[in-house]
Amino acid sequence: MALLEVHDITSGYGELQILWGIDFAMEQGQLTTLVGSNGAGKTTLLRTIVGQLKPWQGKVFFQGQDVSRLPPYTKAEMGLIMAPEGRQLFTDMSVLENLEMGATPRRARPRQAQNIERVFALFPRLKERMHQRAGTMSGGEQQMLAVARGIMSEPVILIVDEMSLGLAPVLALDLFQALRRLRKEGYTILLVEQNVRMALKVSDYAYVLAKGKVDRSGPSRQVENDQEVRRAYLGI
Amino acid sequence: MLDMLLPSIVDGLLIGVVYGLVAMGLTLIFGIMNVINLAHGPIIALGMFGVYLLFTNTGVNPYLGLLIVAGGGLIFGVIMYFVAVHRVLNAPHLASLLSTFAVNMIIIGAGTVVFSTNFRNVDFSLGAVTFGPVTTTGARVAAAVVALLVTAALYLFLRRTRLGKNIRAVANNRKSAELMGIPSSRVLAISFGIGAMLAAVSGGLLATIQPFTILSGGVYELKSFVIVVLGGLGNPVGALAGGLILGLIEGIVPVFMKTTWVPVLEFALFVLILLVRPQGLFGARQ
């Protein structure tokens, strides 16, 4: 069984069904990406995986265990960590305090100090700003902090939602490279992106979501060269 | 008149620190979960009775009794959170106002049956204390010192401990806190417990300096609203400053006018602040 498996999930908000039977799997050590246009259901799928939404039908398996109905904090404790869309930092707290909050899961606490050094090495900007209030930083720095806070939790899977949204291309590129580096260090990452081109470039395996269903999936190289995908998402 | 002014200022500052603590639980709970706890006053009264009963019936030193009252307040708050607050947390404000008001009525009703509304006082004296030209009671000085210590402890707790930081994280962004593995309901319950604990302890302190009834909490709840608006709703440090301002008004005004003018001026200030600077003199939640 794969590290994370989603079986035939349907989900949505109130009366509004967004996901129409999604099957999805992620392997250890890979950078998997989930791409698709706005409203395709990417964020809804993530929210169902981490437990902010309960699936209407279907199941989520994490490390072989059925976690479909567990609340987000229990899943975080197990190592399913999300750096949420729009960053969602603790804006009134300092950068350092945000990182400490990342180290909440019991697995992550003993190595809190080492992990802080590690994320400061990955994002030196955060070290310069460590006593600054998170809400007063630039968008790019806040996004770095969101990813860094996720790393602090010692994720078994790190889910990064809409990382490049609203960022200048140069900053976005830095962040994609940081993810690439994390992947080399052995992290398992799920990247959800509206920047399809970059997402396919840095990932190993890709799922294309459309209208609440998996439209295509396969190794990223292969998806990148798919005529349909090129026309629909890459404008070629 | 001037030789009356200095003692009045000292007395005002001493009681002002205690007032700051009185309001702190109210502002803390609001700052963390956006709930105005209308049972704040009766919890203060329960704290008064806690210290009083422990002292009168079993001879427990009132300052030692405060520790027991603090524990009781914490437990009461956690239970109250799950019974009356948790389910209405995401409902419109009116729902939590009504449910906490219901708790208010229950405490007052039951308290009146059990204790009647006769005045009580804790018959325990620490004598008089003199600094230079000013003489005041030891109980007032002790109450101010305890209130300052509790305030400092709260500040350090919120800034330095993991649980304190978890509380601030949940206050700041509940969803994100859950994604980091922080169980927000448990943290909110503890926060509410701490708010109730602060109210109960402040009641216990007031009982050592003034006579009271089961209804006395209402007076202090009203004062708390003035203080909280002065200091900025949701800002515990602002509450201390607001308490000092209120204490000073109560100390100084009687030197120049009849004491009955005190509440008039206090509430005139309340309305003025709401009109001119609704975020409070020191800004809303920090």
Side-chain angles (χ1 to χ4, degrees):
Chain A
M1 193 174 229
L3 186 57
L4 177 73
E5 283 191 17
V6 167
H7 289 307
D8 197 24
I9 284 281
T10 63
S11 182
Y13 307 90
E15 296 282 291
L16 182 65
Q17 182 165 357
I18 307 280
L19 303 181
W20 299 79
I22 301 244
D23 286 298
F24 172 88
M26 268 183 79
E27 296 294 342
Q28 174 96 40
Q30 292 215 325
L31 202 169
T32 307
T33 190
L34 192 61
V35 295
S37 51
N38 270 336
K42 299 181 304 256
T43 296
T44 309
L45 176 57
L46 284 196
R47 295 188 59 190
T48 311
I49 290 173
V50 298
Q52 286 182 338
L53 282 177
K54 301 279 177 271
W56 295 0
Q57 270 169 36
K59 286 194 185 316
V60 180
F61 290 93
F62 177 55
Q63 297 177 308
Q65 197 182 336
D66 181 358
V67 297
S68 317
R69 310 250 143 217
L70 297 180
Y73 58 86
T74 310
K75 289 184 184 172
E77 192 67 49
M78 296 168 74
L80 197 57
I81 301 293
M82 176 155 89
E85 180 183 22
R87 305 181 282 269
Q88 303 284 326
L89 297 173
F90 303 120
T91 48
D92 296 340
M93 300 171 80
S94 72
V95 168
L96 198 57
E97 285 175 328
N98 268 273
L99 294 176
E100 285 172 34
M101 291 300 97
T104 297
R106 238 153 253 131
R107 295 168 299 107
R109 286 194 205 168
R111 280 182 299 277
Q112 178 174 321
Q114 285 133 280
N115 284 334
I116 286 182
E117 286 313 312
R118 191 181 206 169
V119 300
F120 281 166
L122 189 64
F123 300 116
R125 289 292 280 280
L126 295 181
K127 186 168 191 174
E128 294 164 25
R129 315 237 150 182
M130 80 189 187
H131 297 296
Q132 191 172 330
R133 267 180 48 199
T136 63
M137 296 198 302
S138 73
E141 290 162 343
Q142 291 195 16
Q143 190 60 63
M144 287 174 193
L145 180 53
V147 173
R149 189 178 61 172
I151 295 170
M152 290 301 297
S153 308
E154 302 229 324
V156 177
I157 296 180
L158 177 62
I159 302 172
V160 184
D161 190 10
E162 303 286 12
M163 181 179 74
S164 73
L165 198 68
L167 293 188
V170 190
L171 282 172
L173 192 64
D174 277 354
L175 279 156
F176 281 115
Q177 281 168 351
L179 283 195
R180 199 64 219 165
R181 216 170 317 148
L182 289 170
R183 149 80 174 80
K184 285 216 184 79
E185 287 177 26
Y187 283 91
T188 307
I189 301 170
L190 173 56
L191 172 65
V192 179
E193 262 297 329
Q194 34 80 45
N195 185 341
V196 179
R197 186 187 305 267
M198 281 309 297
L200 290 176
K201 277 251 181 314
V202 300
S203 61
D204 302 301
Y205 201 88
Y207 285 83
V208 181
L209 236 58
K211 297 178 185 156
K213 290 181 180 158
V214 175
D215 186 47
R216 270 179 176 61
S217 65
S220 299
R221 293 295 148 278
Q222 199 178 311
V223 173
E224 203 180 358
N225 290 320
D226 186 300
Q227 287 305 321
E228 280 294 313
V229 172
R230 289 169 79 90
R231 195 165 12 190
Y233 300 101
L234 303 177
I236 303 171
Chain B
M1 189 175 267
L2 270 180
D3 51 320
M4 273 175 68
L5 197 57
L6 189 60
S8 302
I9 289 173
V10 172
D11 261 347
L13 288 175
L14 290 175
I15 194 77
V17 177
V18 180
Y19 284 169
L21 188 66
V22 168
M24 215 163 284
L26 186 73
T27 199
L28 184 80
I29 288 172
F30 181 81
I32 292 166
M33 61 195 91
N34 261 302
V35 165
I36 290 178
N37 176 19
L38 287 182
H40 186 65
I43 295 172
I44 293 171
L46 287 180
M48 293 169 165
F49 273 87
V51 166
Y52 168 79
L53 292 172
L54 282 167
F55 174 69
T56 315
N57 296 343
T58 55
V60 177
N61 179 299
Y63 299 96
L64 208 60
L66 280 177
L67 288 175
I68 300 167
V69 164
L74 183 68
I75 293 165
F76 182 89
V78 169
I79 294 171
M80 180 176 162
Y81 173 82
F82 284 114
V83 172
V85 180
H86 183 66
R87 270 163 290 187
V88 291
L89 213 51
N90 297 317
H93 274 304
L94 185 62
S96 59
L97 286 173
L98 287 175
S99 75
T100 56
F101 187 66
V103 174
N104 166 88
M105 293 310 287
I106 292 168
I107 299 174
I108 286 184
T112 306
V113 171
V114 178
F115 303 119
S116 79
T117 53
N118 294 335
F119 273 95
R120 318 285 174 110
N121 73 310
V122 177
D123 194 10
F124 182 86
S125 172
L126 290 176
V129 177
T130 306
F131 323 85
V134 181
T135 298
T136 183
T137 66
R140 281 186 167 234
V141 177
V145 169
V146 173
L148 274 180
L149 289 177
V150 173
T151 306
L154 176 71
Y155 184 82
L156 290 177
F157 168 73
L158 290 175
R159 292 271 147 191
R160 296 285 161 82
T161 68
R162 181 169 283 277
L163 180 58
K165 288 176 191 175
N166 282 348
I167 288 175
R168 286 166 55 219
V170 169
N172 197 171
N173 192 327
R174 206 183 307 165
K175 270 197 189 138
S176 226
E178 294 223 333
L179 288 176
M180 300 292 105
I182 301 171
S184 67
S185 299
R186 219 173 303 164
V187 169
L188 288 172
I190 293 168
S191 313
F192 201 91
I194 292 169
M197 176 178 84
L198 292 169
V201 167
S202 70
L205 284 177
L206 288 167
T208 63
I209 52 184
Q210 282 163 11
F212 57 91
T213 76
I214 188 70
L215 303 176
S216 299
V219 178
Y220 295 104
E221 185 170 320
L222 283 178
K223 283 192 204 296
S224 298
F225 279 115
V226 180
I227 291 164
V228 154
V229 163
L230 276 171
L233 200 51
N235 178 350
V237 179
L240 188 63
L244 285 172
I245 293 173
L246 208 69
L248 279 177
I249 292 176
E250 293 196 4
I252 294 170
V253 169
V255 179
F256 302 99
M257 293 184 240
K258 281 201 178 124
T259 309
T260 43
W261 279 99
V262 168
V264 178
L265 288 175
E266 281 174 0
F267 283 93
L269 186 65
F270 177 75
V271 173
L272 188 72
I273 295 284
L274 281 180
L275 286 175
V276 178
R277 204 177 150 77
Q279 73 274 34
L281 295 177
F282 307 95
R285 84 177 64 144
Q286 41 145 306

